[in-house]
Amino acid sequence: MKTVGFIDYYLDEYHANNYPQWLKDASKGELEVRYAYGKITSPITGMTSEEWCEKHGMELVGSIEELIERSDCLNVLSPDNPEMHPELCRLPLESGKRVYVDKTFANSKREAQELFDIAERNDTPCFSASALRFAEELEPLDRARLAGLVSEGPGPLDNYAIHQIEPILALMGRAVKRVKFTGTQSLPAGVLEFADGRLSHFSHHGCDCPFAMTFDKTDASTQRIEIVSDYFHTFMEAMARFFLGEDPPVSHEDTIAVIATREALLKASVQPDEWVKL
């Protein structure tokens, strides 16, 4: 059995609360989250790192250095605070041990490149991804026949944009040329233009809105899918395979393209109806 260490800004959040059991199940017991480090007490619930570890049966460590030393694999979380990733990721990415960094990987293309540069200099296998990238509904799609698509999903733009951007780029390629914001702050929407002229539209709706896509195909037909599969399960299986020795399932170049697109989109959101180049 390999041990996994959690590094988080604060531990009492959805991913940290669920990943341990999901990862154990996905690996058929070959992986166990045993150690955890939380920088601060949860500002949402007030739960301390000590209380969280006691609740989840884990051992709290006092530093990231100690956690790296005692763990076989590393999971840097902080899913709602990507601005903390440069601080929380540096030592793990220097460690040479396998590292998964939770979404959103970085707030800028420059920051993403710098983090991956650290990993590459230290021969540290790592990846980052949105769980939506692994939705079963996307797997059988013929990417060569996609002329464009319309994507929709829940959540605020800053925290949930990656859950639409990443599947879009996984299907249509990473050559996004420019983006435009066409929505409002309460109903974000926009369009991505690719280097070959294809377009992808997206919109964010209320929290109960499902993730869905409508595809425009090269033969002039259309197809709509709604994501109803347990994408967290297939995502955890991919993470488990990586921790157990497989190559990263997402390339650094793909993640950098996702982050660059998100960065441009957030810039575009303050100047609606104007194109922002990547």
Side-chain angles (χ1 to χ4, degrees):
M1 176 184 291
K2 288 189 174 183
T3 60
V4 180
F6 272 7
I7 300 166
D8 212 339
Y9 184 39
Y10 55 88
L11 286 162
D12 190 26
E13 44 88 2
Y14 183 79
H15 290 193
N17 290 339
N18 288 282
Y19 280 12
Q21 189 61 53
W22 291 348
L23 195 53
K24 186 174 183 178
D25 291 345
S27 67
K28 297 180 172 57
E30 292 189 61
L31 295 168
E32 180 181 38
V33 182
R34 191 174 297 173
Y35 308 107
Y37 167 86
K39 181 177 173 65
I40 66 169
T41 294
S42 169
I44 310 299
T45 67
M47 182 177 284
T48 66
S49 297
E50 291 83 358
E51 291 169 337
W52 186 90
C53 284
E54 182 178 356
K55 177 180 178 180
H56 291 271
M58 294 183 199
E59 186 173 340
L60 180 67
V61 298
S63 69
I64 293 176
E65 291 92 338
E66 180 185 357
L67 183 137
I68 292 170
E69 182 179 350
R70 300 176 69 178
S71 305
D72 296 314
C73 309
L74 307 169
N75 193 326
V76 181
L77 296 111
S78 193
D80 295 329
N81 297 92
E83 73 278 3
M84 295 303 301
H85 282 163
E87 175 183 336
L88 298 176
C89 286
R90 184 179 62 81
L91 291 175
L93 294 178
E94 291 176 348
S95 71
K97 296 185 176 182
R98 289 178 174 262
V99 180
Y100 170 73
V101 182
D102 217 338
K103 67 86 185 170
T104 301
F105 181 61
N107 275 331
S108 69
K109 179 181 179 181
R110 176 191 57 78
E111 194 174 84
Q113 185 66 66
E114 289 174 352
L115 290 173
F116 282 133
D117 286 346
I118 294 172
E120 290 167 4
R121 285 196 301 269
N122 292 276
D123 294 324
T124 299
C126 67
F127 83 99
S128 180
S130 160
L132 268 294
R133 185 186 190 100
F134 299 90
E136 293 178 358
E137 290 83 356
L138 305 183
E139 184 61 32
L141 295 170
D142 185 354
R143 288 152 171 75
R145 296 180 61 205
L146 295 181
L149 65 84
V150 176
S151 173
E152 59 188 79
L157 184 69
D158 60 346
N159 201 25
Y160 273 73
I162 191 169
H163 293 315
Q164 294 195 60
I165 293 171
E166 184 139 6
I168 290 170
L169 269 62
L171 292 170
M172 297 186 66
R174 56 178 182 250
V176 179
K177 178 182 177 181
R178 57 183 185 169
V179 304
K180 183 193 294 186
F181 186 82
T182 60
T184 64
Q185 295 306 309
S186 58
L187 189 64
V191 58
L192 315 181
E193 182 181 346
F194 290 79
D196 59 7
R198 291 179 301 161
L199 300 176
S200 173
H201 297 263
F202 71 90
S203 58
H204 287 255
H205 304 289
C207 290
D208 294 330
C209 170
F211 289 102
M213 287 182 169
T214 302
F215 303 99
D216 178 19
K217 298 186 177 182
T218 54
D219 62 1
S221 65
T222 59
Q223 177 185 358
R224 178 177 169 81
I225 62 170
E226 187 171 308
I227 306 299
V228 297
S229 63
D230 185 356
Y231 50 83
F232 266 116
H233 175 72
T234 49
F235 165 55
M236 281 292 136
E237 289 183 331
M239 188 192 300
R241 291 192 298 269
F242 167 70
F243 280 152
L244 292 171
E246 287 194 5
D247 291 338
V250 182
S251 73
H252 296 178
E253 291 78 12
D254 281 355
T255 297
I256 289 170
V258 169
I259 297 305
T261 302
R262 175 182 178 270
E263 179 184 15
L265 182 57
L266 292 180
K267 289 179 181 177
S269 70
V270 298
Q271 49 187 68
D273 297 316
E274 296 182 20
W275 287 107
V276 173
K277 293 182 179 180
L278 269 68

